[in-house]
Amino acid sequence: MRTSHGLALMLLLLPSAAARGEDGVTEAWDRLHMAGAPAGYVHSTARTVAEPTPRVESTSHAVMSMKRMGQTSDIVATTETWETPDGTLLRIAATSKMSAQESRSVFTFAGGKVTIETTVMGKTRTVEKDVPAGLAGPVHAERQTRTLAGTTGKTLEFTTYMSDFQAVVRTTSTSKGAETVKLEDGTTVELTRVETKLAMVGGGAIPMSPVSWLDAKGETIKTYVNAAGVVIETYRVADEKAAKAERAAKGPTPDLFAETLIQEDGPIPVARRLDEATIVITKRRPDVTLTGLADAGHRVTEREDGTLLVHAARRTPAAQMQGERPIASPAPDLADSLAPSSTIQSDAPEIVAIVKETVGAETNAWKAAQALERWVCESVTKKNMNVAFASALEVCKSREGDCTEHAVLLAALCRAAGIPARVVMGVEYLYGIWGGHAWNEVWIEGEWFPLDATNGLGFVDPLHLPMTRMTMKEGAGAEFVQLLGGLGGIDVDVIEVVRDGRKIAVDDPALVSVEKGVWRNRLLGISFPVPAGFELDPPSRRPGIQLRVMELDGKSASGKKAEIEIEVMDAPAVLDWTKLLAEFRVDAADAKAGKVDGRESRVVSRTRDGGRIRAVVVADGALWLFELDRVENDAERAMFDEFLAGVDFDVK
């Protein structure tokens, strides 16, 4: 359903290979924890090879499992590295499996160049980039880091290559002296603390600071890093059995989505249909960076107290400036947004065929992009978080994934249609929370305009906050860094919204009132009379997604507890009652069509859960659910009908 931001992040944070000797084959096993609970393991090996040329080969094999909104994704990543005996990097082969398909990238270093060969779904693409000579390999760096054991204030600096970032990175590690450290089994030990700073050469700091703890021999016993709000730790263990052992007593792996949520103070009315929003962003740490936030749709002002005031607006191109496709004579800076890559396979015959079928001879670029957005929204039918990350071609074939999969597929389709497109990652508001999300931008008449194939509305509402924009070209893994700078490091509060020209201060308590037995909510635009014998019971604010607006407590005819529950969410882009009712465990044949305050509705007099009545109403972009949970006779059905007849959706 939402956010896939942790996918590349998890691969980035897995420990690199760690040698444990000068000669022969050595190995190490580490337990991998995420948010304080076991999540997998890392197996590292190293050996010295004499033929055909002397070199040191190291391997890091990582297996991890994470949950997002209750669904489990498994990731397997293997990195094989060659370096000279004196530590100069020669080759990296990185293989990862974050979906049903495996991807492999081989980096060969020679003559001040790195040649990157990436293979996805049987096709290999190659790029070449300049790099400094003499980059350090991981075994050399690990051996030098051992010398920090037992010291305080000693610093080591290396320039190496991070395959996950596909970038040259300078690491600066400083020993901080002895520290008592608690291990996974609860025991404590005195170790040397080492703090590391990371910076891309020529590209600025990487917003995370790994910490490691060394024993007297210089072995890394524990590591820790907090990136994008997710804590990743490793613990050195004795052998394979200990690394793979289940630790049920410590509980299951936490839900990654829940770990990175940003809680909104109150409900927002029909978020997807808003025109404007005024938002306050508070940085949780001074090192948080939001370099990707400001754009034509987000005007950002830093206030005296350090908070950011963001004025966000929905943007679509004017009717007379919607562009043509394919774009004629694109500027050089658009080349990466039009080109195919291993992730965005816009040259694949399957992708090209969909474009021809969906947009045909349509030359209006914006209309074509909107049509492709709708196609992705409707065609990715298996909407789940079981896939950690998949390329556009894989999504095209599997029709499965979350927002990231929707975004890469739409980018590929737009590029195949001759429309420059890129992937945007940031956060989106969703029913009381802000969560990591991915969407797109397309180039129309000299400007970038957003689309979101997960929602499929033909536009993007102002409650999307961008943090990074990615072309996902070959060798461009560093595009991800901007997301690390903001995700997990901010709090967000919407203070005002504009819908249909009406400004609403969302925190105004006067928006909600009860007068003469009628509950009125001007924020949500609804009122209803409280039935006789029922009392209002507002739901308490709690962490996580919250759909419930109000509960009314009363009694059934036999004196048993009865409730009327009211929930609201954004209505789907395309209203298909059969599909919509199926999501609520209702057969369309059992639902009676009708009107509630003039809006189309379906009322089910008996649900699969037994004695309940449920009404589903679509009103002005909102999807309302009204349910009476205990029905014992016709009088209660009549009471519920009378209640629905008193609902008013035109409250201002």
Side-chain angles (χ1 to χ4, degrees):
M1 182 178 177
R2 293 290 191 274
T3 195
S4 193
H5 79 273
L7 313 180
L9 172 64
M10 294 303 107
L11 289 180
L12 167 70
L13 298 179
L14 298 179
S16 59
R20 295 176 66 188
E22 296 292 335
D23 301 303
V25 178
T26 60
E27 68 175 353
W29 291 90
D30 293 274
R31 290 273 287 173
L32 178 64
H33 282 219
M34 181 177 68
Y41 66 89
V42 183
H43 180 213
S44 305
T45 64
R47 65 171 183 164
T48 300
V49 177
E51 299 294 339
T53 57
R55 64 176 182 267
V56 177
E57 297 180 354
S58 58
T59 300
S60 176
H61 176 70
V63 177
M64 70 169 297
S65 180
M66 64 181 180
K67 288 185 178 180
R68 294 178 299 151
M69 294 191 73
Q71 297 176 330
T72 301
S73 298
D74 296 317
I75 296 178
V76 180
T78 302
T79 303
E80 302 165 298
T81 307
W82 295 358
E83 58 192 274
T84 64
D86 65 359
T88 300
L89 192 57
L90 298 172
R91 179 180 183 270
I92 302 173
T95 304
S96 64
K97 188 172 183 181
M98 295 189 285
S99 65
Q101 299 291 327
E102 185 177 84
S103 65
R104 179 175 174 84
S105 295
V106 177
F107 308 79
T108 304
F109 302 86
K113 305 275 187 184
V114 57
T115 302
I116 308 172
E117 296 177 316
T118 302
T119 303
V120 176
M121 299 190 73
K123 183 166 185 176
T124 300
R125 302 176 192 263
T126 303
V127 296
E128 188 177 80
K129 299 170 66 176
D130 293 329
V131 295
L135 295 174
V139 174
H140 173 74
E142 192 271 344
R143 288 173 177 168
Q144 293 300 309
T145 301
R146 286 171 174 262
T147 65
L148 296 177
T151 70
T152 302
K154 182 178 179 180
T155 296
L156 293 175
E157 186 172 283
F158 302 99
T159 301
T160 186
Y161 192 88
M162 275 191 171
S163 59
D164 298 280
F165 278 157
Q166 297 188 5
V168 178
V169 174
R170 180 175 294 108
T171 70
T172 304
S173 299
T174 303
S175 60
K176 297 295 183 177
E179 183 173 281
T180 301
V181 179
K182 186 176 182 179
L183 302 180
E184 186 196 27
D185 61 4
T187 61
T188 58
V189 63
E190 190 172 274
L191 303 171
T192 301
R193 179 186 178 98
V194 176
E195 297 180 358
T196 299
K197 303 293 183 183
L198 306 175
M200 289 188 297
V201 174
I206 297 173
M208 62 179 191
S209 300
V211 180
S212 57
W213 288 268
L214 312 179
D215 67 9
K217 297 179 181 179
E219 286 197 29
T220 301
I221 304 302
K222 178 184 176 180
T223 68
Y224 168 99
V225 68
N226 185 328
V230 180
V231 172
I232 309 294
E233 297 168 295
T234 65
Y235 295 88
R236 181 62 47 86
V237 293
D239 51 28
E240 179 178 4
K241 182 178 180 180
K244 297 180 179 180
E246 293 293 333
R247 299 296 296 273
K250 293 198 174 183
T253 300
D255 192 302
L256 179 62
F257 189 80
E259 289 291 324
T260 57
L261 291 182
I262 305 168
Q263 197 71 41
E264 175 64 40
D265 283 346
I268 307 299
V270 199
R272 302 288 77 87
R273 269 67 170 189
L274 294 178
D275 300 312
E276 299 177 36
T278 302
I279 303 164
V280 175
I281 297 178
T282 303
K283 298 179 181 180
R284 296 176 182 172
R285 306 183 310 273
D287 61 342
V288 170
T289 57
L290 296 169
T291 55
L293 178 57
D295 60 17
H298 299 83
R299 189 172 75 252
V300 182
T301 303
E302 184 168 3
R303 304 196 294 187
E304 291 184 0
D305 62 359
T307 61
L308 302 179
L309 186 67
V310 181
H311 294 278
R314 183 199 301 185
R315 294 182 63 249
T316 56
Q320 70 275 16
M321 298 182 63
Q322 298 196 348
E324 294 185 1
R325 74 145 192 115
I327 185 172
S329 304
D333 61 355
L334 293 177
D336 294 338
S337 301
L338 281 165
S341 70
S342 298
T343 303
I344 312 292
Q345 301 105 319
S346 54
D347 56 350
E350 297 90 336
I351 299 288
V352 174
I354 291 169
V355 171
K356 290 181 178 179
E357 181 180 350
T358 304
V359 299
E362 176 62 71
T363 59
N364 182 300
W366 179 244
K367 289 183 179 179
Q370 287 180 307
L372 294 171
E373 178 204 53
R374 176 65 58 83
W375 185 92
V376 174
C377 182
E378 296 179 353
S379 299
V380 179
T381 53
K382 301 175 184 176
K383 299 182 187 294
N384 58 49
M385 290 191 170
N386 293 327
V387 178
F389 183 83
S391 71
L393 182 56
E394 183 178 351
V395 182
C396 177
K397 294 182 176 183
S398 70
R399 307 294 170 91
E400 180 179 9
D402 60 26
C403 60
T404 310
E405 282 67 48
H406 287 71
V408 296
L409 180 53
L410 180 56
L413 291 170
C414 286
R415 292 183 191 182
I419 306 169
R422 59 193 185 187
V423 174
V424 184
M425 289 190 179
V427 293
E428 176 199 41
Y429 174 84
L430 180 69
Y431 313 132
I433 58 92
W434 294 80
H437 190 52
W439 61 100
N440 296 90
E441 288 177 343
V442 294
W443 181 259
I444 305 292
E445 293 283 347
E447 296 184 56
W448 290 102
F449 291 93
L451 288 170
D452 187 341
T454 304
N455 296 328
L457 294 168
F459 56 84
V460 169
D461 63 83
L463 301 190
H464 285 62
L465 299 178
M467 293 181 180
T468 188
R469 296 164 177 83
M470 298 182 283
T471 61
M472 294 190 171
K473 70 175 182 177
E474 306 300 329
E479 291 179 320
F480 187 71
V481 172
Q482 285 183 319
L483 185 64
L484 292 176
L487 201 59
I490 60 174
D491 291 310
V492 184
D493 183 24
V494 180
I495 60 175
E496 183 180 87
V497 297
V498 176
R499 185 183 181 203
D500 300 329
R502 184 168 71 101
K503 288 186 178 182
I504 307 171
V506 298
D507 296 328
D508 184 357
L511 292 174
V512 181
S513 63
V514 181
E515 299 175 8
K516 298 181 180 180
V518 175
W519 184 78
R520 183 172 287 103
N521 189 317
R522 294 168 52 215
L523 175 64
L524 300 178
I526 186 175
S527 71
F528 53 79
V530 180
F534 281 76
E535 295 181 352
L536 295 169
D537 182 14
S540 59
R541 297 297 300 169
R542 53 179 174 74
I545 291 174
Q546 186 157 318
L547 303 175
R548 188 152 301 173
V549 171
M550 181 59 68
E551 297 176 4
L552 293 95
D553 297 336
K555 294 186 181 298
S556 68
S558 64
K560 297 180 181 179
K561 180 180 178 181
E563 290 182 340
I564 296 177
E565 299 169 354
I566 304 170
E567 296 182 349
V568 65
M569 62 193 76
D570 293 287
V574 177
L575 183 57
D576 183 324
W577 280 104
T578 300
K579 292 182 179 179
L580 183 60
L581 292 171
E583 292 183 12
F584 298 112
R585 295 170 49 83
V586 172
D587 293 328
D590 296 334
K592 180 181 177 181
K595 299 284 186 180
V596 174
D597 193 30
R599 276 67 165 190
E600 191 171 3
S601 70
R602 297 293 187 273
V603 178
V604 185
S605 60
R606 185 178 58 200
T607 70
R608 296 178 187 176
D609 299 320
R612 296 171 181 260
I613 301 177
R614 179 176 295 155
V616 183
V617 186
V618 175
D620 310 323
L623 177 65
W624 290 88
L625 301 178
F626 303 92
E627 181 174 275
L628 176 60
D629 73 340
R630 189 179 299 278
V631 181
E632 296 179 346
N633 56 39
D634 290 341
E636 283 152 352
R637 294 186 179 91
M639 179 274 294
F640 191 64
D641 288 342
E642 183 179 353
F643 166 77
L644 292 177
V647 172
D648 181 1
F649 291 116
D650 296 305
V651 177
K652 297 290 193 271

